[in-house]
Amino acid sequence: MGRTIHRFQVTDSTNSRACELAGRGAAEGEAVVADAQDKGRGRMGRIWHSPSSANLYLSVILRPTIPPGQASLLTLLAAVATAESVAEFSGLRPAIKWPNDILLNGRKTAGLLNEMRSEAGRILFVIMGFGVNLNLDEESFPAEIRGLATSLKRETGQAVSRPAFLGDLLRRLEAWYELFLSQGPAPILNAWRDWAQTRGRPVHVISSGENWTGLAVDIAEDGGLIVRTEDGRQRKIVSGDVEDAGPSSSGFSEVP
Ligand code: BTN
């Protein structure tokens, strides 16, 4: 992964650049990195704050030969690799909030946006997008997300080398991806469970226009979150957001 890196000073979105490159035949593992994005995209149509000189904005092209229904496992894989790099460079223990937010001390330090193009039941390519707040100072966060978002530097007081973090993340991604292709989902699911904040906790679920509360029980084989409802049924959430609803709730919700 990342043997070929397409670098931009500023681009609209590294995911959009990677999608164009993949559509023109770029190989698996090619990556796009930008110093800044002027239309950085988050999940569910949100904006990803992407100023220059501070953070990592990375997109990686994958061409996995798996059914499209398994693609969300790649999101969990990306979250595990990112959590490991964040732990390595911060010396702290991050938590993964389903499906793909990486938190340090209850605040979001990284978000992942995976996008897929498929045709006739077959994946043509997946773009894995990573936004990691590395060196952003507190005052540089937009006021509306200042209490919800953080960076490695803000948590540790130490600046992080962007090239070193990028190299570490690409190596971990490659190792997890090879393990996934050779051994299937089990190792990723187990690692995800180890990092998960959401599991075993009360959560508010916001999905498919509904808003309800339950207990996050586990992660399903396909990456969905299994939540027990108040009347004891189990439901699988495949898209949407969950927020911690426990007594120790940080009030965290996704960075808009
Ligand atoms: C989220 O909403 O949590 C996902 C944020 C993903 C942001 C990254 S930055 C690199 C890549 N390019 C984008 O436009 N988005 C992703």
Side-chain angles (χ1 to χ4, degrees), residues 34-255:
D35 179 56
Q37 302 181 115
D38 53 23
K39 289 204 183 82
R41 291 189 277 118
R43 291 178 61 232
M44 308 173 87
R46 293 168 187 153
I47 290 167
W48 187 255
H49 179 59
S50 308
S52 68
S53 312
N55 298 330
L56 180 67
Y57 313 115
L58 163 71
S59 300
V60 179
I61 297 168
L62 297 180
R63 297 186 180 276
T65 50
I66 56 170
Q70 281 191 13
S72 52
L73 287 166
L74 296 172
T75 303
L76 303 186
L77 183 157
V80 166
T82 308
E84 288 180 348
S85 290
V86 167
E88 174 74 23
F89 281 78
S90 67
L92 301 171
R93 185 171 171 85
I96 300 177
K97 174 174 164 282
W98 185 87
N100 55 9
D101 289 352
I102 312 298
L103 313 184
L104 275 177
N105 296 326
R107 291 178 169 157
K108 181 163 171 172
T109 195
L112 313 175
L113 178 66
N114 286 359
E115 298 177 303
M116 168 172 81
R117 186 168 296 168
S118 60
E119 195 181 82
R122 184 172 82 86
I123 294 179
L124 295 178
F125 57 81
V126 171
I127 307 299
M128 272 184 170
F130 302 78
V132 188
N133 295 333
L134 293 176
N135 295 318
L136 209 60
D137 292 318
E138 179 154 5
E139 59 277 10
S140 307
F141 285 99
E144 64 275 16
I145 61 171
R146 207 166 283 160
L148 307 173
T150 194
S151 67
L152 272 73
K153 185 174 171 210
R154 183 171 168 190
E155 296 303 317
T156 65
Q158 303 285 322
V160 173
S161 154
R162 288 194 293 175
F165 190 96
L166 171 65
D168 186 80
L169 179 55
L170 289 169
R171 274 190 296 280
R172 291 179 193 276
L173 273 177
E174 182 165 314
W176 277 110
Y177 188 56
E178 282 176 356
L179 200 65
F180 172 57
L181 295 181
S182 64
Q183 294 187 24
I188 296 170
L189 292 169
N190 288 335
W192 191 93
R193 287 183 183 110
D194 283 347
W195 291 107
Q197 156 191 282
T198 319
R199 218 171 138 233
R201 298 181 69 109
V203 285
H204 287 304
V205 178
I206 304 137
S207 172
S208 312
E210 289 181 281
N211 190 337
W212 49 279
T213 301
L215 186 74
V217 179
D218 202 0
I219 191 89
E221 282 283 297
D222 62 0
L225 184 72
I226 301 170
V227 180
R228 188 178 307 137
T229 61
E230 279 166 349
D231 60 9
R233 285 179 304 134
Q234 294 208 348
R235 292 177 63 175
K236 189 169 76 177
I237 316 302
V238 291
S239 66
D241 276 329
V242 297
E243 288 172 18
D244 198 331
S248 62
S249 168
S250 61
F252 183 85
S253 62
E254 196 168 284
V255 177

